[in-house]
Amino acid sequence: MSKTPALKSPVAVLKGVGPWIAKRLQKIGIEQIGDLLYLFPIRYEDRTEIKPLGELSPGQKVLVEGEVQLTEVVFRRRRTLLSRLADGTGSVTLRFFHFNKAQQEQLVRGACLRCFGDVRVGPTGLEMVHPEYKLISDGSDPPQNFLTPIYPTTEGIHQQRLRQLTDQALDIMKTTFPDDCLEGHLPEDWPTLVDSLRFLHRPPRDSVLEELFLGVHPCQRRVAFEELIAQRLARVQSRLNRVKENAFSLEDKSKFIAKLRAKLPYKLTDAQELAISEILADVAKEIPMHRLLQGDVGSGKTIVAVMAVLAAASSGCQSGFMAPTELLTEQHFNNLKRWLEPLGIEVVALTGSIIGAERLKILARIAEGHAHVVVGTHALFQQAVEFKNLALMIVDEQHRFGVGQRLELKRKGKKGILAPHQLIMTATPIPRTLAMTLYADLECTVIDELPPGRQPVNTVVMPESRRLNLVKRIREHCTTGEQVYWVCPLIEESEIINSQAAVKLFQNLKKALPELKIELIHGRMKFNEKEKIMRQFRDGVLNLLVATTVIEVGVDVPNATLMVIENSERMGLSQLHQLRGRVGRGSSSSNCVLLFKSPISELAKERLGVMRKTSNGFIVAQKDLELRGAGDMFGTQQSGLIQLKVADLIRDADLLPRVIEISEILMRDYPKNADQLIKRWNKHTSEYAYV
Ligand code: ADP
Ligand code: MG
């Protein structure tokens, strides 16, 4: 008799895993059977109840059963297989555009089918296009009693196969258990690891659906907790590894900093001064700095970073200054040139649109070490960009950059021997417990004050029904020459639907305001097209810009003094705050109008009230955590650096203090468990980045 497989056995021993599937599984980090248990569903579908055909309505996703009445192939615009299904209460048409002979023969009159799919209105009544279906013997086969898991799609492996594989893994888990690395550290009344895993893969139909969909079922919380601990452990480990690396020691020997300071038209704030001294102390060490500089929009992070660049130049080393878009690159390049060239420091820009001989010339300046500062977009990461002695990398608005790119950066350090210091700047306020978990590998500096004299953005909350008044107000506003952003945020998961909403709004506004110059940018437009329009807006050619939330982070258009945000009740407060930061950058006062669709809940009202009352990003972020609600859907997005599988930073924020406490204990007393958790949770990461 062959030995029964264990969770540690290779997946190849499972039924249905040939070399081809094994290879694909390996690609997403699944080698042992137990790894399958940590491939979590991204959502669930309810296929536990068979819906009578007479009760269907369009837009539903349902499980139905019936007998085939008639199947025929019709030729209209394209060859189509139509099959009529009835169950005594009503009927529905199944429509297939792609089908084969075998399928056609299966769907004979009298065959019993169970189908799952979307119901829509067709030319002859309700229909389902390409439903999932299977033949059943006589309708007595009971539907499954658990919700159907949908796994992250993996190239070449279908949902059905993934279910089959996880079925087998769950079966093995009846006799052998995965190690519970948190044993003894969780409250008594929490579910066990085995029960939790089982639940996540096959939630029973009687489970509290609402809890499940919100992700707050105790089993989900148990697993989310483990994930957060694993993430924190991984960050701490990477920090421990980093301090073993070597870096240039940078000091401002030429007194560049004092020279620039003397020329600035303003006095640095205390918070800026403090940040500068922390950063300079860091880069003076021979250990690579890895620091996060947080500061609200407009708090003056750029000049702080420039001081570190001066220390590098003063030590004869190069710096990179990375921005997420060409437009921002241009903005930084102009500022840096203005500040640094008088000191004899050469600044060059490198973006995707600088090509040909010009590019080669710049690359040579960089490779030979003449260019001290290179400002650029992702283009800085390209293989062709070789630095002579890169010692410092500034990354502006970190959430646009991936982990792989940061690794590449390390490689670009001095021949791979000396790692560059890194300063990562962000305007996204990150509450402390969160920073201690997900940014445990970074030191944090916070600029917690704005330069004096800034006028807070006056924020009003307005029901959509007053749109006509608003349009009138915009017309008046634009006659003064000031500009307007009208933002159509991401309220659907799909950028397609979202862009459509923006297009419609754009057309309506053009009709309502024919005398204004209006343009539109959204996420599905080509990069160059977006940049062109942003540039026109910056240069004052446009009065009004309609945009989805692709609207550029960090772009300075001081003349834009009014922002309208659609569907604000459905957005996270921190995100609203980010958007609002696009106005209020000049000397005249600015306004922000938060439109909402009535009726809204008390909670939503309170949340929008926060926006009206405060302009402090940290208070906004804190309130966002406290007053959960619509903001939840942006939780994972805001975390930026790390893609979480089960946990959600906003929803599970209350777990964080305990996560910190227990991970400390594990590191100190149970290093083996800590190791195992890190490995277990960092296998499938890349897959989730795309779902
Ligand atoms: P952010 O932190 O959003 O990147 P910036 O660095 O772009 O902010 O600075 C925003 C604006 O504030 C710039 O025009 C900059 O010149 C100005 N600024 C920076 N520091 C000060 C200061 N201490 N006093 C007055 N203005 C300042
Ligand atoms: Mg900035």
Side-chain angles (χ1 to χ4, degrees):
M1 209 181 90
S2 71
K3 210 165 133 264
T4 33
L7 291 175
K8 292 211 162 59
S9 311
V11 282
V13 308
L14 293 177
K15 262 185 269 147
V17 183
W20 189 85
I21 296 255
K23 206 162 152 201
R24 292 220 151 28
L25 287 173
Q26 194 186 15
K27 258 198 174 151
I28 56 167
I30 297 177
E31 291 172 338
Q32 299 178 354
I33 295 175
D35 298 339
L36 282 165
L37 298 171
Y38 278 79
L39 177 74
F40 292 107
I42 43 171
R43 60 188 175 84
Y44 304 93
E45 281 172 354
D46 189 352
R47 308 186 185 182
T48 60
E49 222 172 312
I50 295 168
K51 191 110 179 152
L53 293 177
E55 290 176 17
L56 299 187
S57 46
Q60 290 175 323
K61 195 159 199 166
V62 290
L63 185 73
V64 298
E65 232 174 64
E67 203 181 286
V68 175
Q69 307 277 291
L70 171 75
T71 293
E72 58 181 346
V73 176
V74 297
F75 297 87
R76 291 274 152 72
R77 249 161 297 159
R78 54 202 282 206
R79 205 165 150 261
T80 305
L81 179 70
L82 296 177
S83 189
R84 190 144 197 86
L85 204 64
D87 69 350
T89 69
S91 65
V92 67
T93 301
L94 312 182
R95 183 181 291 273
F96 299 90
F97 297 113
H98 311 281
F99 56 95
N100 55 34
K101 192 89 187 149
Q103 256 174 319
Q104 197 177 332
E105 283 164 4
Q106 263 183 344
L107 302 178
V108 288
R109 185 180 163 86
C112 278
L113 289 189
R114 180 174 295 161
C115 306
F116 182 80
D118 294 303
V119 180
R120 65 166 212 189
V121 181
T124 60
L126 293 182
E127 60 178 38
M128 293 168 97
V129 178
H130 280 276
E132 277 183 53
Y133 72 90
K134 68 172 186 182
L135 288 171
I136 49 174
S137 41
D138 58 354
S140 62
D141 197 5
Q144 58 200 23
N145 58 2
F146 53 83
L147 302 180
T148 305
I150 307 295
Y151 290 98
T153 34
T154 299
E155 206 187 330
I157 309 184
H158 296 294
Q159 288 297 328
Q160 229 145 357
R161 177 56 55 87
L162 288 169
R163 269 171 231 150
Q164 224 181 57
L165 296 177
T166 41
D167 265 340
Q168 295 178 68
L170 290 166
D171 219 34
I172 294 169
M173 200 171 60
K174 285 183 182 147
T175 48
T176 66
F177 304 139
D179 295 329
D180 180 356
C181 303
L182 299 178
E183 204 176 344
H185 301 295
L186 297 179
E188 297 265 316
D189 57 347
W190 277 32
T192 64
L193 176 61
V194 169
D195 287 346
S196 302
L197 291 175
R198 197 174 295 287
F199 178 91
L200 258 70
H201 286 281
R202 302 290 181 271
R205 65 178 291 193
D206 58 2
S207 44
V208 187
L209 287 188
E210 199 182 344
E211 272 185 2
L212 177 72
F213 286 107
L214 292 176
V216 297
H217 187 281
C219 288
Q220 288 166 305
R221 296 266 287 174
R222 162 70 179 75
V223 176
F225 188 68
E226 186 178 306
E227 178 174 29
L228 290 170
I229 289 185
Q231 288 302 346
R232 170 146 206 266
L233 290 170
R235 304 296 113 202
V236 173
Q237 194 183 51
S238 100
R239 178 200 208 128
L240 293 176
N241 290 340
R242 176 168 51 84
V243 297
K244 290 187 216 140
E245 292 174 6
N246 295 309
F248 284 99
S249 160
L250 306 178
E251 273 176 84
D252 181 25
K253 300 186 195 87
S254 326
K255 304 282 172 252
F256 284 153
I257 295 178
K259 286 178 195 160
L260 176 60
R261 199 195 293 270
K263 281 203 185 156
L264 287 178
Y266 45 75
K267 188 174 164 300
L268 295 172
T269 62
D270 291 347
Q272 283 173 313
E273 291 290 3
L274 192 65
I276 291 168
S277 57
E278 278 181 348
I279 291 164
L280 291 179
D282 269 3
V283 297
K285 293 186 197 141
E286 289 178 341
I287 301 169
M289 170 176 74
H290 205 175
R291 191 173 276 281
L292 183 69
L293 179 62
Q294 283 176 256
D296 216 341
V297 279
S299 60
K301 295 184 289 295
T302 318
I303 189 72
V304 170
V306 165
M307 297 305 182
V309 168
L310 290 179
S314 202
S315 309
C317 295
Q318 292 172 295
S319 306
F321 201 117
M322 207 153 35
T325 65
E326 298 225 347
L327 196 74
L328 272 177
T329 299
E330 209 175 284
Q331 192 175 297
H332 282 320
F333 178 58
N334 291 333
N335 283 331
L336 265 68
K337 250 195 347 200
R338 185 158 47 86
W339 287 327
L340 304 190
E341 276 184 354
L343 300 171
I345 301 171
E346 181 173 329
V347 185
V348 296
L350 194 66
T351 64
S353 56
I354 297 172
I355 49 172
E358 174 71 8
R359 186 178 195 82
L360 291 178
K361 205 177 92 197
I362 292 174
L363 287 177
R365 298 297 291 173
I366 299 171
E368 288 157 17
H370 300 299
H372 301 104
V373 187
V374 188
V375 188
T377 53
H378 293 73
L380 285 191
F381 282 116
Q382 284 164 358
Q383 291 283 333
V385 188
E386 289 293 343
F387 289 85
K388 179 149 184 268
N389 54 7
L390 178 68
L392 170 69
M393 188 57 101
I394 312 281
V395 182
D396 195 12
E397 302 298 350
Q398 48 84 19
H399 44 283
R400 300 278 186 99
F401 292 100
V403 174
Q405 289 169 321
R406 273 193 293 279
L407 288 177
E408 172 61 18
L409 173 67
K410 213 155 152 182
R411 201 193 59 78
K412 287 199 190 298
K414 173 103 179 171
K415 315 235 158 13
I417 303 166
L418 294 180
H421 297 284
Q422 288 181 52
L423 181 66
I424 298 162
M425 303 195 281
T426 179
T428 310
I430 305 166
R432 211 181 77 90
T433 45
L434 221 161
M436 283 184 72
T437 312
L438 286 193
Y439 297 88
D441 56 335
L442 300 176
E443 330 286 336
C444 285
T445 296
V446 177
I447 301 183
D448 57 3
E449 65 181 315
L450 292 179
R454 286 281 156 83
Q455 303 205 34
V457 179
N458 173 40
T459 302
V460 295
V461 178
M462 192 184 281
E464 255 196 338
S465 50
R466 289 179 46 202
R467 197 177 283 271
L468 273 181
N469 286 339
L470 184 59
V471 167
K472 234 173 80 190
R473 195 169 135 195
I474 295 218
R475 183 179 293 125
E476 288 158 16
H477 183 89
C478 290
T479 56
T480 66
E482 291 177 11
Q483 293 161 282
V484 184
Y485 291 105
W486 195 309
V487 185
C488 222
L490 188 74
I491 56 162
E492 303 286 346
E493 265 178 57
S494 130
E495 179 64 36
I496 301 184
I497 299 175
N498 211 45
S499 306
Q500 284 166 350
V503 171
K504 205 158 149 222
L505 174 68
F506 169 59
Q507 286 161 347
N508 289 343
L509 286 173
K510 270 207 306 200
K511 247 183 258 152
L513 296 163
E515 68 275 41
L516 298 187
K517 288 215 65 168
I518 305 178
E519 275 298 350
L520 165 72
I521 59 171
H522 62 69
R524 285 168 52 80
M525 281 166 41
K526 286 216 184 69
F527 180 81
N528 292 341
E529 193 63 19
K530 279 193 284 197
E531 292 264 320
K532 195 181 107 205
I533 290 175
M534 271 316 292
R535 216 162 257 138
Q536 287 177 350
F537 189 67
R538 182 195 63 189
D539 298 341
V541 180
L542 305 175
N543 300 109
L544 194 163
L545 183 67
V546 180
T548 56
T549 32
V550 299
I551 185 169
E552 308 290 342
V553 277
V555 171
D556 227 0
V557 185
N559 193 44
T561 49
L562 173 60
M563 172 174 283
V564 181
I565 305 179
E566 295 271 341
N567 290 103
S568 59
E569 81 282 6
R570 297 182 58 177
M571 296 181 61
L573 298 187
S574 294
Q575 208 194 3
L576 282 176
H577 181 73
Q578 287 294 308
L579 283 173
R580 183 171 62 177
R582 298 299 110 225
V583 291
R585 311 197 131 231
S587 49
S588 46
S589 69
S590 291
N591 293 287
C592 177
V593 178
L594 302 177
L595 285 179
F596 66 87
K597 219 188 216 104
S598 308
I600 59 169
S601 66
E602 282 306 310
L603 179 66
K605 248 184 232 160
E606 192 179 347
R607 291 163 51 80
L608 292 180
V610 171
M611 295 307 297
R612 202 160 37 77
K613 283 180 227 133
T614 182
S615 53
N616 178 318
F618 284 82
I619 297 177
V620 169
Q622 200 54 48
K623 286 282 177 196
D624 208 6
L625 283 179
E626 284 166 24
L627 304 173
R628 296 174 212 164
D632 284 7
M633 57 195 205
F634 295 100
T636 25
Q637 270 184 357
Q638 275 169 7
S639 74
L641 284 183
I642 298 159
Q643 212 68 36
L644 295 167
K645 295 169 210 168
V646 179
D648 178 292
L649 291 176
I650 303 232
R651 186 186 67 217
D652 300 320
D654 59 320
L655 294 176
L656 292 176
R658 223 195 161 89
V659 163
I660 292 164
E661 183 190 325
I662 292 182
S663 50
E664 291 300 316
I665 296 174
L666 290 179
M667 278 184 285
R668 198 182 56 219
D669 302 330
Y670 305 90
K672 278 213 185 91
N673 290 16
D675 252 14
Q676 201 177 349
L677 282 174
I678 293 174
K679 290 209 185 84
R680 179 184 276 176
W681 279 96
N682 286 287
K683 284 192 160 178
H684 328 294
T685 314
S686 61
E687 251 335 89
Y688 285 81
Y690 302 102
V691 297

